[in-house]
Amino acid sequence: MSIFKVASFNVNSVKTRLPILERWLGEDPVDVLCLQETKVQDPDFPVSAFRDLGYHVAFRGMKSYNGVAVASREEPDEVAFGFGDGEEPDDGPRVARVRFGDLTVLNTYVPQGKALEHPDFLYKLRFFERVLALLERHCREADPVLWTGDLNVAPTDRDVTHPENKRDHVCFHRDVQRAFRDVLSWGLEDVYRKHRPGDGEFSFWDYRVRDSLARNIGWRIDHLLASPPLAERSVDAYAVRELRAQERPSDHTAVVGVFRR
Amino acid sequence: MSIFKVASFNVNSVKTRLPILERWLGEDPVDVLCLQETKVQDPDFPVSAFRDLGYHVAFRGMKSYNGVAVASREEPDEVAFGFGDGEEPDDGPRVARVRFGDLTVLNTYVPQGKALEHPDFLYKLRFFERVLALLERHCREADPVLWTGDLNVAPTDRDVTHPENKRDHVCFHRDVQRAFRDVLSWGLEDVYRKHRPGDGEFSFWDYRVRDSLARNIGWRIDHLLASPPLAERSVDAYAVRELRAQERPSDHTAVVGVFRR
DNA sequence: GACGGCGGCG
DNA sequence: CGCCGCCGTC
């Protein structure tokens, strides 16, 4: 059976994370890799490191913050950044849309939102609405579509360690969970949960919580959301915890979806 | 034959260098270790790391720059920082004087001097004069005395890789070499050269010169200078190159003097 | 509190 | 190139 793998990884600086990326992709290559928080301006993006690993790479970044990239073994047929909806900011360094034949991969780095009362939180809720509008504009539910990335939302109580004390957190508040569900209602299925329904399935472990990985105190905020024809072909999904356990790790790990071709 | 070892090591941040110091002193302990560029304020000095290695430690530092320390297996009978000559600045974070019985160890971090035309260069020349005055005030040539540290001077053509292009360098100019020799004339012998007279004997390899250690493009600016009764007991001296070859190294390595007790 | 980027420095 | 302090993020 021929399969392909699509992964999402918030790298928290792609340059700093190159050793980890090289080790990982050298051992267990994926076909499409969506990165967030690359934190690098386009002229400084480490293109050759990806080329040497056998990947094409499309990227849009800025100094210090944000930045998305999509690395892939095959060259995409179409690449676009930002919402392109006329609204400002267009958010190129947070939104990448890539097409391979009839498969669309949408890679987003959703704003964290800072605090419930902060303007950025309203912007975050608006961000989800714009993702939905983008799907409606560019995709069809009957085609294979994957929305992935660091979505900065833990959708259910099982997606955090202590849900009770997180009700007012910008990544767990019911308003952000509803905004997220509203996008899913377009016709997307959580294919990570399809294969890993249990407790303690996380993709982010805070640097500030000591031994968070060893104690498994984390959040599931990096997602793989597939349209029905793609979800139907999904055969596995997993988080690559080894990446979080290495020297100088990102605070996130990669999540990988495995699909029938 | 019972011996003792005295070392000098510009650590370029003592906190950053703890793993290297622990590995080194664990394997090949020295009796007295003079450090320069500790780059730490006194309240933050990692006293317990030295205690755990079996060392007493006296230190005087500041934020970001300079800072000297003397670690020793035996507790010193006397410790003093700075020139104490009434001149300002007294330079506590550059000058440590420590006495063990009749042995005086003078640990200095001589200012680099920035540029020949910079006021710091005159201050550097004055620094050597003040070292001489300090020796005259506190020591006798007939007693064992060791002047050591990062002296920021390569005394002869053999002490750098390309002497021709360094005549106007603040660590190689004839004025700084003369200022250094004037201190030696008090009655000190270069005990490193006594045992290692050859070419390519260095203690510093610039981070900015690629593969400087492997290509041995360096400077001998860290010194071991002994009064006659101590020089007479000197049996070996060497630079510990392994320290420069480790992960996250200082740009200097340690120089070690071995003496009969 | 532990990362990241940055500018200044040698 | 690798320190430092600084500041911003989460």
Side-chain angles (χ1 to χ4, degrees):
Chain A
M1 186 178 72
S2 176
I3 54 107
F4 69 97
K5 292 182 175 185
V6 185
S8 173
F9 186 16
N10 178 320
V11 283
N12 188 9
S13 168
V14 68
K15 285 191 287 185
T16 305
R17 229 56 69 203
L18 278 181
I20 284 180
L21 284 168
E22 283 162 350
R23 222 169 297 137
W24 173 41
L25 296 176
E27 288 170 19
D28 183 22
V30 296
D31 297 279
V32 180
L33 173 58
C34 297
L35 302 178
Q36 305 87 36
E37 286 209 80
T38 55
K39 291 188 176 178
V40 66
Q41 301 171 99
D42 293 347
D44 302 329
F45 193 96
V47 179
S48 58
F50 284 89
R51 196 205 307 116
D52 294 351
L53 288 162
Y55 286 86
H56 300 269
V57 64
F59 46 87
R60 179 68 61 88
M62 55 185 291
K63 257 193 184 179
S64 299
Y65 307 108
N66 310 323
V68 287
V70 182
S72 54
R73 316 223 69 147
E74 285 180 41
E75 197 167 2
D77 300 303
E78 192 184 341
V79 174
F81 294 97
F83 284 112
D85 55 7
E87 200 173 313
E88 287 299 321
D90 190 55
D91 254 340
R94 286 188 180 274
V95 179
R97 181 168 49 88
V98 170
R99 187 173 58 77
F100 305 88
D102 65 350
L103 170 68
T104 294
V105 176
L106 176 62
N107 173 23
T108 65
Y109 173 47
V110 174
Q112 195 257 3
K114 295 216 169 86
L116 293 184
E117 59 287 2
H118 194 284
D120 283 15
F121 186 65
L122 275 178
Y123 184 72
K124 178 178 189 172
L125 299 182
R126 175 75 194 132
F127 194 98
F128 285 105
E129 294 176 1
R130 294 172 80 189
V131 170
L132 176 56
L134 188 148
L135 290 170
E136 288 168 340
R137 219 178 313 123
H138 290 285
C139 304
R140 295 186 314 176
E141 208 196 322
D143 282 334
V145 176
L146 187 75
W147 177 31
T148 186
D150 176 355
L151 307 190
N152 266 317
V153 58
T156 75
D157 282 10
R158 271 150 62 242
D159 299 316
V160 295
T161 308
H162 295 111
E164 321 76 48
N165 61 25
K166 288 186 180 59
R167 302 292 171 199
D168 289 338
H169 193 288
V170 287
C171 297
F172 198 64
H173 190 273
R174 57 202 306 272
D175 289 353
V176 80
Q177 291 176 334
R178 187 187 303 113
F180 171 72
R181 277 198 314 269
D182 287 347
V183 186
L184 296 208
S185 69
W186 176 79
L188 294 169
E189 184 182 347
D190 185 334
V191 293
Y192 190 93
R193 272 304 182 204
K194 175 179 169 184
H195 302 289
R196 306 276 160 173
D199 282 341
E201 289 287 340
F202 305 130
S203 65
F204 165 83
W205 294 265
D206 198 319
Y207 289 131
R208 290 168 290 184
V209 177
R210 42 167 268 279
D211 296 326
S212 58
L213 182 71
R215 297 156 70 203
N216 199 28
I217 297 172
W219 296 66
R220 194 175 72 93
I221 57 181
D222 301 274
H223 297 286
L224 297 162
L225 308 158
S227 63
L230 184 62
E232 195 270 325
R233 287 153 58 194
S234 138
V235 294
D236 194 10
Y238 53 92
V240 189
R241 291 195 179 211
E242 306 88 272
L243 304 181
R244 183 64 177 83
Q246 308 216 14
E247 286 279 285
R248 306 196 89 203
S250 169
D251 39 4
H252 294 247
T253 191
V255 291
V256 181
V258 188
F259 302 92
R260 259 183 288 117
R261 273 205 195 273
Chain B
M1 184 180 73
S2 176
I3 55 106
F4 69 98
K5 294 182 175 184
V6 184
S8 173
F9 186 15
N10 177 321
V11 283
N12 188 11
S13 168
V14 68
K15 284 189 289 184
T16 303
R17 230 55 69 203
L18 278 181
I20 284 180
L21 285 169
E22 283 162 352
R23 223 169 299 136
W24 173 41
L25 295 176
E27 287 168 20
D28 183 23
V30 297
D31 297 280
V32 179
L33 173 58
C34 296
L35 302 178
Q36 306 87 37
E37 286 209 81
T38 55
K39 291 188 175 178
V40 65
Q41 301 170 99
D42 292 348
D44 302 328
F45 193 96
V47 180
S48 57
F50 284 89
R51 195 203 310 115
D52 294 350
L53 287 162
Y55 286 85
H56 299 268
V57 62
F59 47 88
R60 178 69 61 90
M62 55 185 291
K63 257 193 186 182
S64 300
Y65 306 108
N66 311 323
V68 286
V70 182
S72 53
R73 316 224 66 147
E74 283 180 41
E75 196 166 2
D77 299 305
E78 192 183 342
V79 175
F81 294 96
F83 285 113
D85 55 5
E87 201 173 314
E88 287 301 319
D90 189 54
D91 254 340
R94 288 188 178 274
V95 179
R97 182 169 47 88
V98 170
R99 188 173 57 76
F100 303 89
D102 65 352
L103 168 68
T104 293
V105 176
L106 177 61
N107 173 22
T108 65
Y109 173 47
V110 173
Q112 194 257 3
K114 295 216 169 81
L116 293 184
E117 60 286 1
H118 194 283
D120 284 15
F121 186 65
L122 276 178
Y123 184 72
K124 179 178 189 172
L125 299 181
R126 174 74 195 133
F127 193 98
F128 285 106
E129 294 176 1
R130 294 172 79 190
V131 169
L132 175 57
L134 187 147
L135 289 169
E136 288 168 339
R137 220 177 313 123
H138 289 286
C139 304
R140 297 185 315 180
E141 207 196 324
D143 283 332
V145 176
L146 187 75
W147 177 31
T148 186
D150 176 355
L151 307 190
N152 266 316
V153 58
T156 76
D157 282 10
R158 271 154 57 245
D159 299 315
V160 295
T161 307
H162 295 111
E164 321 77 46
N165 61 25
K166 288 186 179 59
R167 303 289 171 203
D168 289 338
H169 193 288
V170 287
C171 297
F172 198 64
H173 189 272
R174 57 202 307 273
D175 288 353
V176 80
Q177 292 176 335
R178 187 188 303 111
F180 171 73
R181 280 197 313 269
D182 287 348
V183 186
L184 297 207
S185 70
W186 177 78
L188 294 170
E189 183 183 348
D190 186 334
V191 293
Y192 190 93
R193 274 303 183 204
K194 174 177 169 185
H195 301 288
R196 307 276 161 172
D199 282 341
E201 290 286 341
F202 304 130
S203 64
F204 165 84
W205 295 264
D206 198 318
Y207 288 132
R208 290 166 293 183
V209 176
R210 40 166 271 278
D211 296 327
S212 57
L213 182 71
R215 298 155 70 202
N216 200 28
I217 297 173
W219 296 67
R220 194 175 71 94
I221 57 181
D222 301 274
H223 297 286
L224 296 161
L225 308 157
S227 63
L230 184 62
E232 195 268 325
R233 287 154 57 193
S234 139
V235 292
D236 194 10
Y238 54 92
V240 189
R241 289 194 180 213
E242 305 88 271
L243 303 182
R244 183 64 176 84
Q246 307 217 16
E247 286 278 286
R248 305 197 89 200
S250 170
D251 40 4
H252 294 248
T253 192
V255 291
V256 181
V258 188
F259 302 91
R260 259 182 287 115
R261 273 204 194 274

